Amino acid sequence: MTSPTTPTSRGEEASRAGNRLPLIDVLRGVAILGTLASNVWLFTARGGESVMLFESDAMSPMGAFAADPSLDGLARGLFFLAANGKFLGMLTLLFGVGLAIQFRSAAEHGARWPGRYTWRALFLFTEGLVHFTLVFAADVLMGYAVVSLLVAWLLTRSRRVRTAVMWTAASLHLAVVGLLTAALALRPAAEDPSSVGVPPEAVALYAEGSYLDQVLFRLDNALWLRAEPIISFGLLLFMFLLGVRLFRAGAFGSDGTGRRIRARMLVWGLGIGMPLNAAVALMGPDLFFVDRYVAAPIVALGYVGLVGWLLDRVDPAGAVVTAFSSLGRMAMSGYVLQNVICVLVCYGFGLGLATSLAGAGPWWVMALWAAVSLLFLAVATPWLRRFGAGPLEALQKSVLAGIPERTRRDGGDR
């Protein structure tokens, strides 16, 4: 493979000499807690994560409000709408940014590319596989690992090639979303409405079943439960490459260039994305794929701009910013461990709160999200001061430490 020797960009200049870009760490922390704001509805649903198989309408942000136009339904709908798909898009974008940073680091140290990164991707895939099997069906890490290998190779190609791949991926993604949306719209109505939804055995599995039974359920239904990264492959590839492009353009720097790019992201992302997202959500569950995989990523760009705008106006050394930044630096651990906590709190083999508080409306679900979020923000900074890295980040470093870094032997990259 070729070595990474691309010309220095604004983003690379802004983070030379080992300096971190503070915004990236803060955004990672925000994205981790934001993904929980979506996933918490799976943990607390009737039938847990099995609703992804049996009750797709339950994943429509405003579906509960449409069925029950009450204050409870509105609160759930707005909370879910603000999170659904947005932080997945943000996290995907940031994975692309992280890949660009590692590519730059390899170039600075004369290392071959992708070289050792291939092992990092393999570790990420393995970790995702374990996470899916033992903890949570909606894992994102396996999909990221596969896409990251493709993008790592694309970083050795010309910008023209990356641009062509990026927009081809976007076009294919829109075509897939269009086909899936048409399939939802044309599906026949159930003759017996009571037959639609999570079957009693799945409800019992998550309310009363053993941990081993739930693991076996995920393995038995792995193909369908792993459908999201397959369906959204084009989107993942597009967002990875967009993250690379934004980083190299200097979008995450603290200079005038970064502020200008983020201001445009804020205006266009929220100005276009939020009205589109609200309209699609209110039109019902038949537009679920458009909602989560088209409108939401646009809003995600606005969220990046908004977080950047806020960070430019607060003390970067303040306790709140430091807490988000610390969580961002241990994002992998935060993502997995917050799901472990929710499993133990919600499912029957643990505290079983999803069943015992089923009649409490959406308020306890939002309170659970807030409690877990505050816990992680409170713990992240002291943890890093004591240990220097998150537990999974430390494990990754330990595993990869024995793999030698090969230096480049040939000419430059395009």
Side-chain angles (χ1 to χ4, degrees):
M1 296 299 293
T2 57
S3 60
T5 55
T6 53
T8 302
S9 65
R10 290 190 185 95
E12 292 165 328
E13 289 174 350
S15 55
R16 286 289 182 184
N19 295 325
R20 300 181 72 94
L21 292 171
L23 176 59
I24 295 177
D25 287 331
V26 171
L27 284 169
R28 286 195 182 111
V30 171
I32 291 303
L33 299 184
T35 57
L36 179 61
S38 290
N39 292 338
V40 71
W41 301 101
L42 292 175
F43 292 115
T44 57
R46 184 174 176 270
E49 60 196 358
S50 72
V51 297
M52 294 190 297
L53 293 176
F54 303 115
E55 198 173 0
S56 59
D57 288 2
M59 300 310 298
S60 172
M62 298 302 290
F65 179 66
D68 174 25
S70 63
L71 179 60
D72 283 3
L74 180 62
R76 179 194 187 279
L78 292 178
F79 186 94
F80 195 11
L81 179 62
N84 184 44
K86 283 76 171 176
F87 297 100
L88 174 65
M90 182 188 292
L91 194 61
T92 308
L93 184 86
L94 293 170
F95 259 82
V97 172
L99 191 54
I101 292 173
Q102 292 175 71
F103 178 81
R104 182 211 62 205
S105 177
E108 291 176 344
H109 292 89
R112 299 185 71 184
W113 184 265
R116 209 167 140 188
Y117 183 80
T118 303
W119 292 100
R120 292 175 66 96
L122 179 60
F123 179 92
L124 185 66
F125 185 89
T126 303
E127 185 177 33
L129 180 60
V130 173
H131 180 231
F132 166 81
T133 303
L134 302 182
V135 182
F136 186 42
D139 169 77
V140 301
L141 301 178
M142 283 190 282
Y144 285 169
V146 173
V147 175
S148 71
L149 286 175
L150 175 56
V151 175
W153 175 79
L154 286 170
L155 289 176
T156 68
R157 305 297 95 190
S158 67
R159 175 167 177 160
R160 178 178 297 178
V161 169
R162 288 194 298 273
T163 299
V165 172
M166 177 176 162
W167 292 109
T168 299
S171 300
L172 291 175
H173 172 67
L174 291 176
V176 169
V177 169
L179 290 173
L180 292 172
T181 301
L184 280 181
L186 297 174
R187 59 182 171 175
E191 295 181 3
D192 179 11
S194 64
S195 66
V196 177
V198 181
E201 57 270 22
V203 174
L205 172 64
Y206 285 90
E208 306 165 3
S210 70
Y211 171 70
L212 179 59
D213 288 338
Q214 292 177 18
V215 169
L216 294 175
F217 176 82
R218 282 192 287 273
L219 293 176
D220 288 343
N221 296 277
L223 178 62
W224 294 108
L225 291 171
R226 294 284 71 216
E228 180 172 70
I230 298 172
I231 291 170
S232 62
F233 181 83
L235 175 62
L236 297 179
L237 180 55
F238 174 82
M239 295 298 285
F240 263 71
L241 291 171
L242 181 59
V244 171
R245 176 167 294 194
L246 287 171
F247 171 74
R248 290 183 169 178
F252 303 97
S254 57
D255 58 357
T257 298
R259 288 192 292 271
R260 284 192 296 273
I261 295 174
R262 293 194 297 271
R264 290 197 290 269
M265 293 170 69
L266 172 61
V267 171
W268 289 102
L270 298 187
I272 294 175
M274 290 189 72
L276 174 63
N277 197 199
V280 169
L282 290 170
M283 292 173 70
D286 284 352
L287 292 180
F288 164 79
F289 291 103
V290 179
D291 178 6
R292 182 169 173 84
Y293 302 115
V294 178
I298 299 174
V299 179
L301 298 179
Y303 281 7
V304 171
L306 178 60
V307 173
W309 182 86
L310 291 171
L311 190 61
D312 289 337
R313 286 158 177 79
V314 300
D315 179 7
V320 174
V321 174
T322 301
F324 275 100
S325 179
S326 297
L327 180 57
R329 291 173 59 188
M330 48 188 291
M332 189 185 306
S333 297
Y335 171 68
V336 172
L337 293 177
Q338 69 187 11
N339 294 336
V340 170
I341 290 175
C342 286
V343 164
L344 295 175
V345 168
C346 296
Y347 293 162
F349 67 84
L351 297 181
L353 293 189
T355 299
S356 60
L357 295 178
W363 309 103
W364 87 271
V365 180
M366 291 184 277
L368 174 62
W369 170 80
V372 175
S373 298
L374 290 173
L375 172 64
F376 275 76
L377 290 174
V379 167
T381 300
W383 180 279
L384 286 184
R385 287 174 180 165
R386 175 66 178 84
F387 299 103
L392 293 181
E393 287 79 8
L395 175 62
Q396 181 189 65
K397 183 178 180 179
S398 176
V399 170
L400 298 180
I403 300 173
E405 186 74 86
R406 300 175 64 186
T407 57
R408 63 188 180 216
R409 301 175 183 173
D410 46 35
D413 164 53
R414 286 167 285 182

